[in-house]
Amino acid sequence: MRILAIETSCDETAIAVLEADGRINAPKFKPLANVVSSQIAIHAKFGGVVPNLAKREHEKNLVPVLKTALKEARLYRSSANNESKTNKRIRIFANNSILADCFSHEPELFRQFKKEIPKIEKPAIDVIAVTYGPGLAPALWTGVNFAKGLARVWQVPLVSVNHLAGHIYVNLLHQKKIDFPALALIVSGGHTELVLMKKHGAYQIIGETRDDAAGEAFDKVAKLLGLTYPGGPQISRLAEKFRIKNKEPRIRLPRPMIDSPNFDFSFSGLKTAVLYKLRELTTTNTEFKTNKRIRIFEGDSLFADIAHEFQNAVVEVLVKKTIAAARKYGVKTFILGGGVAANKKLRKDLAESFSRALPTVKVFLPHPKETTDNGLMIAVAAYYQRNKKAARSDLRAEPALRLA
Ligand code: KG4
Ligand code: ZN
């Protein structure tokens, strides 16, 4: 089975092709293509992702990214010289505007679709998977409409995938099998959720953030420190400079909700605490009166202390609640997912805490390269929901889609 997966929920235009072989419940996955066109440089100027800019970029990128992915997967065949029946049909479809309803809000994408898709032979794929939520509405719609258009002209089934399921299931690219019940911690720019899974595709959210997501907190604190978007990786790099020096902390920050009798989180207070700390330091400490940005990269600065303490606070809360939830629900597998899963401190502390407190739990940490948004994660998730019915032709983007 070959799955072509499309992901445009935020600021990456991503298309992957995944092949699944072997036993249905223990497949062997072979990624044939994984193309990600990142818009980070475009959004960085604005300090965060601008939804309509993201949509415009997806419109421009989708057709070229598809071609690159098909070439990478060796499934690209140009029909330039000898037009097949399928391609004639596609051309007629496009010219008669039978496809226009798929692209009524994406004129640029439709223009490219009409021009380029009839030139490509239908590739040997069995299903198209697409992220339909959660995410930024204009960005999601672009991917959904593109997927609908392709599914229609190539006449293959379309499967709609929850982005967060993708962050969970990307772990199965390399791992063999989830033992249930399983607990997933999803930490991304938009979500912080503890999810209990009793079987494939069955999700129960047992805790979530009440305000900012973990990644959002990283990004906001980074901004306060004068770092560019996305700030998560930069904060952790800065925090490591502190760790190397092995000093006593000069800064203390709260651990919000760490002892609350539930599995919910709250990170916005942490950002405010950093803001107040910075204000206080600006008036009392000469280090803050001179060039801040240079000092950040010197490492031996209060900025490194703040980054270190902030990262510790977030990680401590996440780890403590995760272990408590894993214990309460007697889970057999723990799965980490989302952009913040790239954080080294979080990975290390989770692994150590499980091996200390719950050594029999299987711990799945995604490959750091597979933590950011990509098409493979959507393809794997689509594989595991293969028994669900394919999306109807009136599939809609659902920006506020939930897992449960
Ligand atoms: O999952 P993702 O790529 O996009 C969403 O679905 O939101 O997550 C992006 C988030 C950003 O907030 C980014 O700052 C954060 O993941 N992030 C990190 C690290 N790498 C990415 N946060 C902390 N430490 C990191 N190493
Ligand atoms: Zn994501």
Side-chain angles (χ1 to χ4, degrees):
M1 178 187 203
R2 283 205 197 111
I3 304 168
L4 177 103
I6 300 170
E7 152 66 43
T8 64
S9 67
C10 191
D11 59 349
E12 332 274 357
T13 313
I15 299 186
V17 183
L18 182 70
E19 194 171 84
D21 276 324
R23 281 188 300 139
I24 261 198
N25 291 320
K28 245 188 117 55
F29 288 121
K30 187 170 159 204
L32 302 183
N34 185 22
V35 182
V36 180
S37 168
S38 173
Q39 307 172 6
I40 281 182
I42 290 159
H43 297 286
K45 291 178 225 141
F46 301 93
V49 181
V50 185
N52 280 319
L53 253 184
K55 172 202 156 79
R56 205 185 71 187
E57 291 304 305
H58 290 314
E59 271 198 74
K60 278 198 272 183
N61 295 339
L62 274 165
V63 170
V65 168
L66 173 72
K67 284 165 85 175
T68 310
L70 292 177
K71 283 176 187 164
E72 205 173 293
R74 299 179 171 278
L75 296 174
Y76 182 92
R77 274 199 303 134
S78 155
S79 67
N81 301 323
N82 187 10
E83 195 173 49
S84 67
K85 261 193 195 157
T86 313
N87 292 52
K88 259 189 204 128
R89 188 172 42 77
I90 295 172
R91 193 183 302 285
I92 293 165
F93 262 31
N95 289 336
N96 288 349
S97 289
I98 292 172
L99 281 170
D101 62 318
C102 289
F103 297 105
S104 55
H105 291 87
E106 287 84 19
E108 167 59 20
L109 180 59
F110 192 30
R111 193 188 63 73
Q112 288 196 34
F113 192 99
K114 280 200 284 194
K115 184 161 167 261
E116 301 297 331
I117 302 303
K119 293 185 198 160
I120 308 171
E121 283 300 329
K122 176 186 166 181
I125 53 162
D126 303 290
V127 62
I128 295 177
V130 65
T131 305
Y132 74 119
L136 304 170
L140 284 167
W141 271 111
T142 314
V144 165
N145 288 336
F146 185 59
K148 276 159 87 167
L150 283 180
R152 199 178 290 183
V153 298
W154 286 341
Q155 302 194 317
V156 285
L158 179 63
V159 171
S160 54
V161 176
N162 183 310
H163 180 81
L164 301 177
H167 277 307
I168 294 175
Y169 274 95
V170 76
N171 282 278
L172 295 201
L173 258 185
H174 313 290
Q175 311 280 349
K176 270 161 212 70
K177 184 167 155 285
I178 299 178
D179 290 334
F180 294 104
L183 177 72
L185 172 66
I186 300 170
V187 271
S188 73
H191 294 83
T192 305
E193 285 176 11
L194 275 167
V195 183
L196 185 66
M197 294 173 68
K198 296 207 171 122
K199 58 179 186 182
H200 285 299
Y203 309 101
Q204 184 193 346
I205 299 171
I206 56 168
E208 63 190 318
T209 184
R210 297 187 174 177
D211 39 58
D212 291 352
E216 191 180 359
F218 268 91
D219 295 338
K220 286 179 174 170
V221 167
K223 211 170 182 175
L224 291 176
L225 298 182
L227 302 166
T228 50
Y229 174 85
Q234 300 197 59
I235 293 256
S236 60
R237 240 173 280 138
L238 191 55
E240 272 172 39
K241 290 185 177 167
F242 173 91
R243 194 168 50 85
I244 292 163
K245 300 223 165 241
N246 207 16
K247 299 175 291 193
E248 276 302 304
R250 286 183 283 179
I251 313 273
R252 279 296 289 174
L253 293 171
R255 271 55 176 163
M257 295 185 72
I258 197 158
D259 293 316
S260 70
N262 53 37
F263 301 115
D264 283 346
F265 304 94
S266 164
F267 293 112
S268 78
L270 209 41
K271 167 201 67 197
T272 316
V274 171
L275 178 68
Y276 288 150
K277 199 84 222 166
L278 282 172
R279 279 200 192 140
E280 184 192 311
L281 288 168
T282 315
T283 50
T284 58
N285 193 299
T286 48
E287 187 179 342
F288 280 74
K289 292 191 175 133
T290 47
N291 193 336
K292 290 178 192 169
R293 288 189 63 85
I294 291 170
R295 290 209 149 62
I296 289 176
F297 298 104
E298 282 171 1
D300 182 25
S301 75
L302 281 162
F303 279 85
D305 291 36
I306 293 173
H308 178 259
E309 172 65 4
F310 166 76
Q311 178 172 268
N312 278 352
V314 174
V315 169
E316 258 179 52
V317 178
L318 290 172
V319 171
K320 185 162 181 199
K321 297 229 164 180
T322 301
I323 295 289
R327 185 175 277 127
K328 172 167 174 186
Y329 291 97
V331 304
K332 294 186 176 145
T333 311
F334 167 71
I335 305 166
L336 182 66
V340 186
N343 186 280
K344 286 187 200 153
K345 166 88 177 152
L346 177 63
R347 299 168 71 90
K348 182 167 165 279
D349 287 11
L350 277 169
E352 283 175 5
S353 298
F354 270 104
S355 73
R356 204 173 38 239
L358 299 166
T360 57
V361 175
K362 292 207 286 190
V363 175
F364 291 2
L365 304 177
H367 192 286
K369 283 201 188 110
E370 287 152 7
T371 56
T372 43
D373 297 347
N374 63 77
L376 284 179
M377 68 188 223
I378 302 308
V380 182
Y383 179 85
Y384 279 97
Q385 64 178 48
R386 68 196 176 282
N387 294 329
K388 294 221 180 100
K389 53 173 202 289
R392 298 196 325 239
S393 61
D394 58 355
L395 172 68
R396 298 175 59 80
E398 290 188 31
L401 182 69
R402 290 185 45 93
L403 257 182

